[in-house]
Amino acid sequence: MRGIQILDFSMNNISGSIPKCLNNLTNLAVRGSSRLAITHTYNVTSIHFYDYYDDEASLIWKGVTSKYKSTLGLAKSIHLSSNRLTREIPSKITDLVGLVSLNLSRNNLTGQITPAIRKSALLQSLDLSSNQMYGRIPSSLLQIYGLGRLDLSNNLSRKIPMGTQLQSYDPSDFAWNPLLCGIPLQQLCSPKETSPDEQPVFRDQEKDGLITSGFYVSLALGFVVGFWRVCGSLIFIRSWRYIYYKFLNCVYNWLYVKIALFRRRRMIDG
């Protein structure tokens, strides 16, 4: 079945391991599709008159059942959730670079998330929840920029990789991982696992890394130098002091005239 693009065996009683030959589904190993709609032709008369129709399929997408027809060519999905699958996820599954949805949740899968997951750059939904997977979350997951739905509720550990993506997910997407730490979870990582520039900052923390003792010293020196550079010049240089006072006097007179004219105009208009 090299042309298959939607493989859905979810909610059955399938046991055993995931076949390693999934990479033979060559249609899933191609990015995108040359046609948005999938059209079939058929013979309607004995004189070889052909007609056609557009195929359609219903998919569970981000928890909602949706029907695809005009964009069915882009819907490339593997859905094997709610079975009794065991062992590790085959590494060859990452060769299916055209996948936009991969759901292996609610099984008994073990092993670690392979760093080669970065090859599935078109993934928009990845659900590996409710399995027995362990180890760390690979930093290569940050390279899947369009990943909108993610659920890794397993037995994962160590620090969540820092980036502009994983920290935007809800903490529930990393639930049931008691040894997992880092943003967006409230569980802080140990100093050995977190560098100074990756220290999590939560809303109840008001400490700013820029406010240090050196900052206060620089602020005090800047104030003293700036103050005496201006005021000291006026105190010790008589000509500057006369010019400064003359300038203030001119500004005062200008403001006084403007205010007087404005009040007089208001009285005349009133």
Side-chain angles (χ1 to χ4, degrees):
M1 297 185 291
R2 296 179 182 272
I4 197 169
Q5 70 176 56
I6 299 175
L7 182 64
D8 190 346
F9 291 145
S10 61
M11 301 179 68
N12 283 285
N13 198 29
I14 301 174
S15 60
S17 59
I18 299 176
K20 297 182 179 180
C21 60
L22 282 180
N23 59 325
N24 289 335
L25 302 176
T26 52
N27 192 28
L28 296 179
V30 179
R31 295 173 181 267
S33 176
S34 58
R35 296 179 302 168
L36 294 180
I38 298 178
T39 303
H40 302 278
T41 59
Y42 61 96
N43 189 2
V44 295
T45 66
S46 58
I47 57 174
H48 302 292
F49 177 77
Y50 292 92
D51 202 353
Y52 69 92
Y53 68 93
D54 291 334
D55 203 352
E56 64 180 35
S58 296
L59 298 176
I60 298 178
W61 182 255
K62 299 181 180 180
V64 179
T65 301
S66 303
K67 182 174 290 187
Y68 290 84
K69 186 174 183 179
S70 60
T71 59
L72 184 59
L74 300 177
K76 298 185 177 183
S77 168
I78 291 181
H79 196 175
L80 303 178
S81 69
S82 301
N83 283 289
R84 295 190 295 117
L85 299 173
T86 56
R87 298 188 179 181
E88 298 184 357
I89 300 174
S91 59
K92 292 294 185 180
I93 203 170
T94 58
D95 293 338
L96 306 179
V97 296
L99 276 178
V100 297
S101 176
L102 177 61
N103 191 338
L104 305 178
S105 63
R106 300 178 184 86
N107 283 286
N108 295 305
L109 298 172
T110 59
Q112 303 186 38
I113 303 175
T114 173
I117 191 68
R118 65 179 179 276
K119 294 194 296 184
S120 303
L122 297 183
L123 274 179
Q124 299 181 28
S125 177
L126 176 62
D127 192 345
L128 304 178
S129 62
S130 300
N131 283 289
Q132 303 299 322
M133 302 183 69
Y134 57 88
R136 69 188 334 173
I137 299 175
S139 58
S140 58
L141 198 62
L142 298 173
Q143 300 179 28
I144 307 179
Y145 302 108
L147 194 58
R149 174 176 171 80
L150 176 68
D151 196 337
L152 301 179
S153 303
N154 274 273
N155 194 30
L156 304 175
S157 59
R158 306 187 72 173
K159 181 172 68 70
I160 298 175
M162 290 291 293
T164 58
Q165 192 167 0
L166 295 183
Q167 281 63 47
S168 63
Y169 290 107
D170 192 88
S172 61
D173 296 331
F174 303 95
W176 307 107
N177 295 295
L179 300 179
L180 201 63
C181 63
I183 303 173
L185 302 177
Q186 294 292 329
Q187 182 174 345
L188 301 180
C189 296
S190 65
K192 294 182 180 180
E193 295 179 300
T194 308
S195 58
D197 58 335
E198 292 181 345
Q199 287 291 347
V201 179
F202 300 106
R203 295 177 180 176
D204 58 343
Q205 293 178 325
E206 299 179 355
K207 183 178 180 180
D208 193 339
L210 297 176
I211 308 301
T212 62
S213 57
F215 173 81
Y216 290 113
V217 172
S218 301
L219 182 64
L221 288 177
F223 174 77
V224 172
V225 172
F227 178 81
W228 283 107
R229 190 171 184 178
V230 176
C231 296
S233 300
L234 296 177
I235 294 174
F236 297 106
I237 303 176
R238 179 179 298 179
S239 59
W240 286 23
R241 185 164 64 251
Y242 288 162
I243 294 173
Y244 178 68
Y245 291 152
K246 185 177 180 179
F247 170 76
L248 291 180
N249 191 41
C250 291
V251 172
Y252 171 77
N253 291 335
W254 180 82
L255 288 175
Y256 178 81
V257 172
K258 286 291 184 181
I259 294 174
L261 290 175
F262 176 76
R263 295 177 63 182
R264 184 175 180 84
R265 190 178 297 112
R266 289 285 301 274
M267 292 176 61
I268 294 175
D269 293 341

